[in-house]
């Protein structure tokens, strides 16, 4: 129900207005009255809730640099922060967000983010000592005012939070933490510190906890240096796979030595993509073929991790080297047949779409889409089907135990094998054996 504040200097008009309105039909409630604008502003300054003002939007305006006095007054009142209040900003960002979201049953970013927010909220200690703010679809900011946590229990709290997210959301998160700041006026500074610390995740492992105090003396390098791409492009043109790998190793060692900022690295990689595109265009003007090939990498590179980015750039260059060498020799159906044969030969190994994509120099997301378009099923379902068919054969023809069969066909967990078997065959492996 909407809340309405009536403002007018004629009391009789206000009363008549209230009488005439069908408040139930309009779904409104009158939460107050004021004789003039100043009185209305005074009423508003007492409570943010009067007009259902979105506190998150007000905080975002402060983070963007808005220094409006009325704005600060509302947020201070809501968060119960005084000018001498110590605050810390904590940023929580989902590692490899697109990949994680693609694995969720409900692939809407908003729904996934709401789940994560609920888990974070449940793991927070003192309910009055923090405020949770969704900054983007994959990034959450916690404004922390709980002095006990700030001074003594930060590591313990963060570890508990990350454990809860791994358990309930099946996701890894990186966390960055600002220095202590004083009062709401410094909130923008604290947020910027946490953002800067988060950028250092690029050179760390996923699931990192990064304190601004640890990285402020080792800033990222935003200067551009000369990197010659000609030798790498020559290797791509000639399909020299070993040369491609060694040149990219050298390129990324340079990035690490310079501590190049992710934005700087992105400039170099985009330039490499452009040069590779030129090589392809020099060989064919078939736009459809070119679009099909580049669709493999339409998700873009992962600029969250230098190590993963290196793998992706290597896959990109090696894939295009093969493509340039044998332009259009194999269509998508041929590729899927090769993959199906590969799965039938290797189903008992530790196999997933990422490993198969790496073997065939494909982007895993694109390969998953291509596989489903050509077979009508997801890759994981196809793999389970192949494994379960082999399990049925072993149950018919051998006396192997269920646990042995599970390991034989690629399942490390016998219980999980039993669940998958029953979901496909409608009975457990033991019942299937007994019914023979």
């Amino acid at each position: 129900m909407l809340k309405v504040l009536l403002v007018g200097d004629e009391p009789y008009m206000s009363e008549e207005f209230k009488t005439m309105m069908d408040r139930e039909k309009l779904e409104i409630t009158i939460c107050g009255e004021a004789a003039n604008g100043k009185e209305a502003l005074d009423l508003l300054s007492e409570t943010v809730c009067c007009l259902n003002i979105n506190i998150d939007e007000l905080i975002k305006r402060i983070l963007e640099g808005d220094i409006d006095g009325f704005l600060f007054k509302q947020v201070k009142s809501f968060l119960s922060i005084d000018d001498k209040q110590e605050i810390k900003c904590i940023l929580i960002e989902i590692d490899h967000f697109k990949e994680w979201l693609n694995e969720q049953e409900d692939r809407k970013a908003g729904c996934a983010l709401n789940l994560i927010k609920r888990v974070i909220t449940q793991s927070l200690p003192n309910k009055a000592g923090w405020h949770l703010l969704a900054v983007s679809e994959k990034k959450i900011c916690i404004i922390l005012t709980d002095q006990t946590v700030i001074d003594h229990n930060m590591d313990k709290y963060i570890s508990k939070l990350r454990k809860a997210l791994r358990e309930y959301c099946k996701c890894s998160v990186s966390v960055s933490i600002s220095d202590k700041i004083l009062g709401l006026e410094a909130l923008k500074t604290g947020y910027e510190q946490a953002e800067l610390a988060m950028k250092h995740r690029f050179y760390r492992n996923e699931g990192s906890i990064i304190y601004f105090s640890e990285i402020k003396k080792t800033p990222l390098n935003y200067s551009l240096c000369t990197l010659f791409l000609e030798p790498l492009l020559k290797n791509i043109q000639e399909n020299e796979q070993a040369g491609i790998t060694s040149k990219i190793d050298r390129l990324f060692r340079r990035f690490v030595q310079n501590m190049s900022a992710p934005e700087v690295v992105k400039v170099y990689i985009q330039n490499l993509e452009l040069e590779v595109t030129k090589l392809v265009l020099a060989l064919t003007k078939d736009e459809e073929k070119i679009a099909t090939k580049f669709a493999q990498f339409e998700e873009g590179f992962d600029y969250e991790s230098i190590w993963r980015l290196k793998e992706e750039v290597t896959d990109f260059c090696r894939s295009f080297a093969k493509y340039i060498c044998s332009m259009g020799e194999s269509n998508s159906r041929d590729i899927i047949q090769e993959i199906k044969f590969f799965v039938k030969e290797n189903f008992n190994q530790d196999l997933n779409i990422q490993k198969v994509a790496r073997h065939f120099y494909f982007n895993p997301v694109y390969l998953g889409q291509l596989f489903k378009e050509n077979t009508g099923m997801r890759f994981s379902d196809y793999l389970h089907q192949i494994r379960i068919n082999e399990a049925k054969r072993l149950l018919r023809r051998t006396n192997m135990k269920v646990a042995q069969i599970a390991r034989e066909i690629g399942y490390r967990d016998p219980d999980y094998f039993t669940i998958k078997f029953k979901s496909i065959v409608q009975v457990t492996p033991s019942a299937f054996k007994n019914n023979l």
Side-chain angles (χ1 to χ4, degrees):
M1 183 168 285
L2 296 176
K3 296 179 181 179
V4 175
L5 173 65
L6 291 179
V7 183
D9 57 2
E10 293 288 343
Y12 296 112
M13 290 293 292
S14 295
E15 288 300 320
E16 188 173 344
F17 188 66
K18 286 191 288 183
T19 304
M20 291 171 58
M21 280 194 304
D22 187 342
R23 280 173 270 180
E24 187 175 338
K25 184 178 180 180
L26 295 171
E27 296 185 348
I28 62 172
T29 178
I30 296 173
C31 63
E33 297 180 52
N36 52 52
K38 183 179 183 305
E39 191 175 313
L41 287 174
D42 289 340
L43 282 171
L44 285 174
S45 67
E46 293 172 7
T47 173
V48 176
C49 299
C50 179
L51 291 178
N52 280 346
I53 295 174
N54 188 326
I55 190 67
D56 285 359
E57 292 304 317
L58 299 186
I59 295 173
K60 284 180 182 178
R61 284 171 58 186
I62 292 174
L63 297 180
E64 291 166 0
D66 195 327
I67 55 173
D68 180 84
F70 173 72
L71 181 66
F72 274 101
K73 191 170 183 180
Q74 299 305 315
V75 177
K76 279 181 181 179
S77 172
F78 186 87
L79 299 180
S80 301
I81 295 176
D82 58 42
D83 294 337
K84 295 182 180 180
Q85 177 81 54
E86 287 186 340
I87 304 170
K88 276 197 174 185
C89 278
I90 302 172
L91 275 184
I92 300 168
E93 189 161 345
I94 303 167
D95 295 321
H96 315 301
F97 174 74
K98 288 182 180 179
E99 184 180 306
W100 173 78
L101 185 63
N102 195 50
E103 294 172 355
Q104 305 309 299
E105 291 184 8
D106 189 338
R107 296 185 182 183
K108 294 179 181 177
C111 297
L113 188 64
N114 286 336
L115 171 63
I116 288 173
K117 286 170 70 175
R118 284 200 300 273
V119 173
I120 293 174
T121 300
Q122 289 165 7
S123 69
L124 287 164
N126 176 9
K127 302 301 178 186
W130 54 269
H131 181 74
L132 198 66
L133 173 71
V135 181
S136 70
E137 63 178 12
K138 65 175 182 177
K139 188 187 297 182
I140 292 169
C141 176
I142 298 176
I143 301 169
L144 187 65
T145 57
D146 188 318
Q147 293 304 303
T148 303
V149 175
I150 289 176
D151 294 331
H152 305 293
N153 297 324
M154 183 64 75
D155 288 339
K156 181 180 177 182
Y157 158 65
I158 295 297
S159 296
K160 179 184 176 184
L161 185 150
R162 290 170 67 231
K163 182 180 178 182
L165 287 170
R166 278 197 304 270
E167 183 176 347
Y168 294 105
C169 302
K170 309 300 180 191
C171 68
S172 167
V173 296
S174 292
V175 181
S176 63
I177 303 161
S178 75
D179 285 343
K180 288 180 185 177
I181 54 174
L182 205 60
L184 194 65
E185 284 73 8
L187 183 61
K188 182 174 182 287
T189 300
Y191 180 75
E192 288 172 346
Q193 289 180 357
E195 273 208 316
L196 189 58
M198 185 61 78
K199 286 187 178 182
H200 279 253
R201 171 178 62 160
F202 188 57
Y203 288 101
R204 303 199 181 195
N205 295 324
E206 63 180 37
S208 296
I209 301 175
I210 311 164
Y211 286 85
F212 178 74
S213 58
E214 295 174 354
I215 61 93
K216 59 185 174 184
K217 292 183 180 179
T218 55
L220 296 171
N221 188 348
Y222 282 85
S223 61
L224 294 170
C225 58
T226 303
L227 294 175
F228 296 103
L229 296 177
E230 284 77 9
L232 173 58
L233 292 170
K234 187 173 185 294
N235 287 152
I236 293 171
Q237 208 165 10
E238 296 174 356
N239 194 23
E240 290 286 344
Q241 297 288 317
I244 291 169
T245 302
S246 66
K247 299 295 190 305
I248 292 175
D249 283 345
R250 192 179 307 163
L251 176 67
F252 276 79
R253 279 201 302 272
R254 185 78 176 273
F255 290 145
V256 174
Q257 288 167 1
N258 292 342
M259 282 292 286
S260 298
E263 296 91 333
V264 172
V265 174
K266 188 172 185 177
V267 170
Y268 287 117
I269 302 307
Q270 287 177 335
N271 185 41
L272 173 61
E273 287 183 274
L274 178 61
E275 294 302 322
V276 170
T277 305
K278 289 178 182 177
L279 292 178
V280 175
L281 288 171
L283 294 172
T284 178
K285 301 300 181 184
D286 190 330
E287 295 181 2
E288 188 175 340
K289 277 187 178 180
I290 295 171
T292 299
K293 183 62 182 174
F294 273 94
Q296 297 177 25
F297 303 93
E298 67 182 353
E299 293 294 319
F301 294 117
D302 186 342
Y303 289 96
E304 294 179 10
S305 163
I306 186 77
W307 319 117
R308 180 175 282 212
L309 178 61
K310 177 186 169 185
E311 286 183 8
E312 292 178 347
V313 171
T314 302
D315 287 347
F316 172 82
C317 292
R318 287 166 65 101
S319 177
F320 269 95
K322 286 187 172 184
Y323 179 71
I324 289 168
C325 184
S326 56
M327 190 73 72
E329 287 183 0
S330 177
N331 60 30
S332 62
R333 289 183 182 276
D334 294 332
I335 291 295
I336 297 303
Q337 289 304 316
E338 288 180 37
I339 289 170
K340 290 169 79 172
F341 179 78
F342 178 83
V343 171
K344 287 176 181 177
E345 291 292 310
N346 298 277
F347 66 87
N348 58 343
Q349 305 298 315
D350 183 15
L351 214 57
N352 56 40
I353 190 70
Q354 284 77 20
K355 291 181 180 178
V356 173
R358 190 173 296 121
H359 180 81
F360 286 92
Y361 301 106
F362 270 74
N363 175 282
V365 175
Y366 174 77
L367 183 58
Q369 294 169 348
L370 193 64
F371 191 93
K372 188 169 184 180
E373 286 173 6
N374 281 270
T375 65
M377 65 173 65
R378 296 187 306 174
F379 173 83
S380 58
D381 294 333
Y382 177 78
L383 177 59
H384 288 308
Q385 186 182 81
I386 295 297
R387 285 174 169 173
I388 298 306
N389 285 341
E390 177 63 8
K392 288 160 68 176
R393 188 186 72 81
L394 293 173
L395 286 166
R396 289 192 190 100
R397 300 186 181 183
T398 73
N399 292 320
M400 294 172 67
K401 294 182 179 179
V402 170
Q404 290 177 305
I405 291 175
R407 288 190 293 271
E408 182 71 14
I409 62 174
Y411 292 108
R412 284 179 284 184
D413 183 350
D415 292 334
Y416 180 67
F417 160 62
T418 299
I419 291 170
K420 294 309 297 184
F421 189 100
K422 187 175 181 180
S423 70
I424 294 172
V425 187
Q426 309 305 319
V427 294
T428 64
S430 300
F432 180 87
K433 180 77 172 177
N434 293 334
N435 291 334
L436 293 175

